Each structure stands twice: as structure tokens, then as C-alpha cells.
Amino acid sequence: MNPLHMIASQPWVERLGWTLLHFLWQGMLVAAVFAAARLSLAHSRPHARYAAACFALAIMLAAPVATFLWLTPAADDAPPPDVNARVVHFSAKPAGLGIVLPAVAISEQPEEWISQAAPWIVVTWALGATLFWVRLAGGWWAIARMRSHHIRPAPPQWQQTFAHLCARLRVSRPVALLVSARMEVPTVTGWLRPIVVVPLGALSGLPPEHVEALLLHELAHIARRDYLVNVMQSVAEALLFYHPAVWWVSHQIRDERELCCDDVAVAVSGDAYTYAVALAGLEACRPMHARSVLAATGGKLAARIARLLGQSQPERLQFSRPAAGAAAALLAMTACVLFAQPADRPKFEVASVKPTPAAARNIAGMRPLPGGRLHADNMSVRMLIANAYSVQDYQIAGAPAWLHDEGFDIEAKGATNSGKAQILLMLQSLLADRFQLQLHRETRELPVLALSLARGGAKLPAPAEGGCMKPDATPPPQAPGANSLPACGSLNIMGAAMGMRMDGGNVSMPELIRQLSMVLGRPVLDRTGISRHFDAHLQFTTDEMTAGLMAAWGTVEGHSETMAAAAANTPGAPPNIGVALREQLGLKLDAAKGPVEVLVIDRVERPSGN
């Protein structure tokens, strides 16, 4: 099993994929509400806008968690895994039983292809999140390295001044003042053991009152516990990296945080002009690469200086062109994924559904007829679902017992030019309308059978000329009682004198796998490595005893003698299918486990009256 199949088999993967997609519209909704709130707070103090931005980001972090929990089914409501699905016993009824129409690829709901794409969505998201977590870890490493390399305590006179400033801001926890020759701007990092690092030349190159003003700004970050909020920002950016709204809200938090600390520094120092001049002295030496990932810094320095001098402009929402383009693309994708309505499934113009009388419950079958008509006799709802959705019986989970035990007769007519694919879609509509059927797809890890080469190799002859009937060819004359030629590329299963026969010409291994899955009532995995076409002729028996042996024994090959003896109890009977595969086709079946897509029934009712 490849890693993607292992991931897809986990029930939480689909929920996580849907959670990530739902956050597309959730993130935009939160950002829109925050944008409106920000405009209404344009003339308020930056503390109010900062609180609104933090609240918006917290909602963005909480929304995926709430969505995932909401999508998780309750223990009482979750349908139990239908591992022991009922086996279709071909020998119990005539060969017309359980006719399965040719499989077609149908995606009747957008939810279906999204569910199928969920593993890719989750894997892609996990790779992106991992890269951002590595970036975050690199920030932690840079901080740890900064605290121990190329750094030393500030001179004693500045230590005293710094202690006095801490007292004025009521910072009770110990804070270290350090200097570094590699830092170009003052930076504060840490919360449990916060430190303020200033450039080595700043203490001697700037006027003391300017340095004090800058230190007040850094201490304001510590007093306000901005470092914790910045950690929340880093986590949100790592987990929700794919949404531009997250980055925009986080950017607003950084801008407003600097304005809040500016106000604190001015309030303590009492001199806005001196503080503005001090900031202006740093503008030329504040490159973006000097900013630590986890440092509680940021903001537009020129705009901050203008605001302190009373020259700030009215509040406006500004978006860069890349951000605007990303938001537009995200909006379009969200609309397509979540709100696009699929075309209505076609419906039968007239349909009659009646319970099968008790006297007619020995034969079951379904066939499409010319003119868009469908005729079904004694078809259980499980068989109808299997035909409508092109799945096997073992792929139906969560079904009540009556879906298998009760049969129904159906006469329906659709559009005259309806083909088999259209009839399948109309059958889906019939099940939804008359049986109130609601279902969803899941991938589950279930017991399967693996088909591989037996000892001695495969016995699959190359396609013989004239061994099958090509499409649109006129059937050749057949002798009385002879079997008709199978269509090229398909296998026919029919009753034989004692048991069953499977015949086909120019068939592929997937076709053989499909038919074996139907006969055995369990998924069959192809581990033969055979890619060529071949002719296949198999004579076997299949009954409840054989099915029980297949389920109980781990390896058919290892118990071939016992199974052969069991089959030999009926004089003249061919071997059961496990032994027949080994002896006639050179193939063997082994028990295994693998991912299987199943239809989980959420709701179904007995049909309404005609």
C-alpha cells in the first residue's frame, strides 16, 4: 500500500480536507467583518483596533477546530464498519441474478470529487505547514543563538537607567539589557526570560534621551505581553498559510502593536517630539532581514513618525496588488468549490415501485430496455444502489437488514434517447425520491483478497483469433446448446452443469479483478504484475461454505487440499474458486487489508406509494 492510500484510508483525512476548504470562506468572512470594524474604529485609539485584530485572528484559529469537530460524527450516530458484507451467492439463484450494469465514472455531486481529492489537499497542506514550522523553529534557534553568541551585558550606568525605566512602566519580572555588535535596531524577545538587545553603537552614538525613549518602547512590548500574541500570530501563519486573509490580519496586528507601544512610550516620557526624532534616527538602519521571526516588532516607521507629529492620514484599507490578486483568486475558488450547484440529475418521467410478491422472490434481475426504460424484478435496495452507483455489494456500509431481504419490482421510463449512463443517474434520482436515500463516500481499511501468481506462474494464454466478439460485430452462428461468444474485453459469468463458468476473450487483469470481486463479495487487489491481455476460462463452484472458508482462512493456497476435499464431496463438481484459480489460471488468493471506497448510508426508508 502506498503512503497516499494509507493516508486516504484514515477517516479523519476527509474531514480535515473539508475543514481546510471551509476555512476559505470562513477566513474571508472574518476578514470582512474585521475590515468593517477597523473602518468604524479609524478615529479611535490603536488599542481598540489592536484588540479587534487579535480577536479576528483568534476566531480564524478557532474556526477550523470547530469545523473539524462539527464534521466528526458522534459515536452513537457513526455507522459501524460493514466489514462482513453479505456475499452474493451466484449458485443460489439463476444466472440472471444481480446484473451489474457496466461501470461508468459518475461524479454527481461536487462533494464526491472533493472527498476523493481530500488526501491530496491534506498532504499539500501538511507540506506547506511543515515548511512554515521549520521557519518558526529557525526563529527559535536564532533567538537561542543570539542569547549566547556575540552579546554581552550593557554598561552599568545603562543598567541603572534601564532598571529605573522598568520601574516607571511597572515591569515586575526580571528583564536583561544586552548589547550586540550584530544587531542594527533595538529588539525585545522572550517572555519567561525577556531580554532587550540594543545595537552596540546606539548607546554611545545617540543622545541619552533618545535611547531612553527607544528602551521605553521595547519595555512596552514586555509590559503588554506582546510576545504571546506574536506566538499566536506565528502559529496561525504556519497552520493557515494558504489564506491571504490570515496574513493581512496578522500584518494589521503588527502595525497596531507598534502604535500602541509608541503611545505607551510617549505617555511615560511625556515628549512626543523627542520620541519621534529618536525613531527617525533608526529609519535608515532598519532592514527587514534584521527582524527576527519571533520578535515582537514591526510596523511602518515613517507612518508612525508622522502620526506622532500630528500628520497622520485618515485610516484607509490598503492592499498590495499581489494580495488583492490572491484574494480575488481565492474568492473565485471558494465560490466554485463550495457554492457551485451541480446540474440536476435526470429523472424518470414515470416510475412504478412495488414490493415483490412472495411467490416471485426466487428470481432477481434488472435490465435497461430501448426507449429509456428500466425493468427490474425482485431487486433489493442494496442491489439497486450497487447498480446505480457502479459499486459492489461489499462497498455498501451502514445498511439496515431489510435493504438486502426485501425485493422490489420497478418499471420506469425516461427520455427516449437515454443511454445506460443516463439510466444510472435516473436510478440514483429514483432512490433519493422514493426511498429517501442519503449517503456519502468514505475510504476504509477493510479485509481484502490479493491476487498474485501461484507457484509455477500464470496460465493465461494470449488472445486467440476469433475467441471473442468485437463491438458492433454480427454474432456468428452457434450450434444448438453452445455458449455464445463473449464480447472482447469482458468476462461472462454463467451457470454450468455443476457450478459456474467464467469465460472471456482478450480481457485485461482489471476486468478479471472486477469479476472476482463480485463473485467473492470482497475487494480483490491486483498483485500479479500482468499488464497484457489474455483469454480466460474458469470453471468453479461458489456457495456459502466456500465463502465461509474464504473469510476464515488466511491463505487459499495453503489450504488448497482441504478446500479441494470439501468441493469433492459433490461428485463431479468442479473445484471451488480458490483451487480453480490456482489449477486453471495459475493464480492464487491471499488474505490482506487495503483501502476500499465504500458508500455509507446515512438515511433510507421503505418506498413511498406510487
Side-chain angles (χ1 to χ4, degrees):
M1 187 190 311
N2 62 52
L4 187 63
H5 282 168
M6 294 180 62
I7 294 174
S9 64
Q10 303 300 319
W12 54 266
V13 170
E14 183 177 345
R15 296 196 299 272
L16 181 55
W18 273 105
T19 298
L20 297 173
L21 289 176
H22 275 298
F23 184 70
L24 295 177
W25 67 266
Q26 293 170 347
M28 286 191 295
L29 178 62
V30 174
V33 173
F34 167 65
R38 180 177 169 80
L39 286 176
S40 67
L41 297 172
H43 300 290
S44 302
R45 299 181 62 190
H47 297 76
R49 296 192 297 272
Y50 177 77
C54 291
F55 182 73
L57 191 65
I59 293 297
M60 287 180 169
L61 274 173
V65 177
T67 302
F68 185 83
L69 295 177
W70 178 70
L71 292 175
T72 303
D76 296 338
D77 299 333
D82 192 14
V83 176
N84 297 319
R86 295 177 181 267
V87 179
V88 180
H89 305 307
F90 285 84
S91 59
K93 295 182 180 179
L97 170 62
I99 299 175
V100 179
L101 299 178
V104 294
I106 298 174
S107 180
E108 72 283 353
Q109 304 255 1
E111 291 86 350
E112 190 167 320
W113 68 262
I114 292 175
S115 298
Q116 295 171 357
W120 292 102
I121 295 173
V122 172
V123 168
T124 303
W125 168 81
L127 291 176
T130 300
L131 292 177
F132 279 95
W133 279 112
V134 171
R135 172 179 176 266
L136 194 60
W140 283 103
W141 177 83
I143 290 175
R145 192 172 185 275
M146 183 183 66
R147 299 176 75 114
S148 58
H149 292 78
H150 309 289
I151 203 168
R152 60 183 176 83
Q157 63 271 23
W158 277 110
Q159 297 285 3
Q160 295 177 3
T161 302
F162 188 69
H164 177 66
L165 295 177
C166 290
R168 292 177 65 182
L169 276 174
R170 298 180 181 179
V171 177
S172 57
R173 68 186 65 191
V175 182
L177 177 62
L178 306 174
V179 294
S180 172
R182 298 201 171 188
M183 297 296 295
E184 300 182 9
V185 293
T187 304
V188 58
T189 59
W191 178 61
L192 295 176
R193 294 185 302 162
I195 61 173
V196 175
V197 183
V198 296
L200 182 60
L203 297 183
S204 59
L206 292 176
E209 61 273 16
H210 291 182
V211 177
E212 290 183 14
L214 297 177
L215 291 178
L216 282 173
H217 177 94
E218 303 305 327
L219 286 173
H221 283 302
I222 297 175
R224 289 165 37 84
R225 295 175 174 82
D226 288 338
Y227 190 79
L228 289 179
V229 176
N230 199 68
V231 171
M232 178 186 73
Q233 292 176 251
S234 300
V235 172
E237 291 168 355
L239 294 178
L240 306 173
F241 65 91
Y242 62 96
H243 206 306
V246 173
W247 293 95
W248 177 71
V249 172
S250 184
H251 179 73
Q252 301 306 314
I253 291 177
R254 289 188 170 90
D255 284 351
E256 299 298 340
R257 179 166 58 213
E258 296 305 308
L259 299 182
C260 292
C261 292
D262 289 344
D263 288 350
V264 172
V266 170
V268 174
S269 66
D271 189 349
Y273 179 80
T274 299
Y275 180 66
V277 173
L279 289 179
L282 290 175
E283 185 173 9
C285 58
R286 193 177 175 87
M288 292 297 295
H289 69 268
R291 192 180 311 164
S292 170
V293 175
L294 294 175
T297 58
K300 300 175 182 178
L301 191 56
R304 291 163 56 193
I305 294 173
R307 173 179 172 272
L308 290 170
L309 298 177
Q311 300 175 0
S312 58
Q313 299 295 323
E315 182 67 24
R316 293 181 299 175
L317 292 179
Q318 297 181 354
F319 297 93
S320 64
R321 289 185 179 180
L330 193 61
L331 179 61
M333 183 173 63
T334 302
C336 292
V337 170
L338 298 177
F339 301 110
Q341 294 296 325
D344 291 337
R345 282 183 303 210
K347 296 184 178 182
F348 290 113
E349 297 172 357
V350 181
S352 171
V353 180
K354 298 179 180 179
T356 303
R361 291 182 181 173
N362 59 332
I363 298 177
M366 183 178 75
R367 64 183 183 274
L369 299 173
R373 293 184 297 147
L374 179 69
H375 174 82
D377 294 316
N378 191 27
M379 289 289 287
S380 69
V381 180
R382 289 186 70 111
M383 296 170 66
L384 291 173
I385 294 173
N387 279 275
Y389 289 91
S390 300
V391 298
Q392 305 299 335
D393 182 80
Y394 59 77
Q395 293 178 274
I396 301 174
W402 68 268
L403 259 67
H404 182 277
D405 299 335
E406 299 181 14
F408 296 90
D409 298 336
I410 298 177
E411 291 287 345
K413 183 184 183 303
T416 305
N417 59 347
S418 299
K420 290 183 178 180
Q422 291 293 104
I423 291 177
L424 289 180
L425 291 173
M426 289 188 283
L427 182 56
Q428 293 178 20
S429 299
L430 177 69
L431 290 168
D433 295 340
R434 302 295 293 273
F435 292 85
Q436 304 302 309
L437 177 65
Q438 297 178 8
L439 49 79
H440 69 276
R441 295 182 183 267
E442 285 186 9
T443 301
R444 295 181 176 179
E445 188 84 1
L446 298 180
V448 299
L449 292 169
L451 185 69
S452 59
L453 300 179
R455 191 178 297 111
K459 304 174 183 178
L460 301 172
E465 185 66 29
C468 59
M469 187 173 62
K470 297 181 179 179
D472 303 325
T474 303
Q478 299 287 332
N483 294 326
S484 60
L485 288 176
C488 291
S490 64
L491 283 165
N492 286 350
I493 300 180
M494 63 197 74
M498 299 188 68
M500 305 292 295
R501 285 189 60 86
M502 183 184 296
D503 294 295
N506 195 26
V507 299
S508 62
M509 187 57 66
E511 171 66 8
L512 177 60
I513 293 291
R514 186 179 74 88
Q515 295 289 359
L516 290 176
S517 298
M518 292 175 55
V519 172
L520 298 170
R522 188 181 295 186
V524 178
L525 303 180
D526 180 13
R527 294 180 180 173
T528 63
I530 297 175
S531 57
R532 62 180 178 84
H533 285 219
F534 50 84
D535 289 344
H537 304 284
L538 189 69
Q539 188 170 0
F540 59 93
T541 57
T542 175
D543 51 26
E544 189 169 359
M545 175 200 67
T546 303
L549 292 175
M550 297 294 296
W553 290 340
T555 305
V556 177
E557 178 79 7
H559 298 271
S560 57
E561 294 80 6
T562 308
M563 297 181 71
N569 291 335
T570 303
N576 61 63
I577 190 169
V579 177
L581 280 169
R582 180 174 60 85
E583 295 179 348
Q584 300 172 30
L585 300 184
L587 305 174
K588 66 174 182 176
L589 288 168
D590 298 296
K593 280 197 172 185
V596 179
E597 187 182 65
V598 297
L599 294 179
V600 181
I601 296 177
D602 301 316
R603 178 189 177 190
V604 66
E605 298 178 1
R606 288 179 171 85
S608 55
N610 293 310

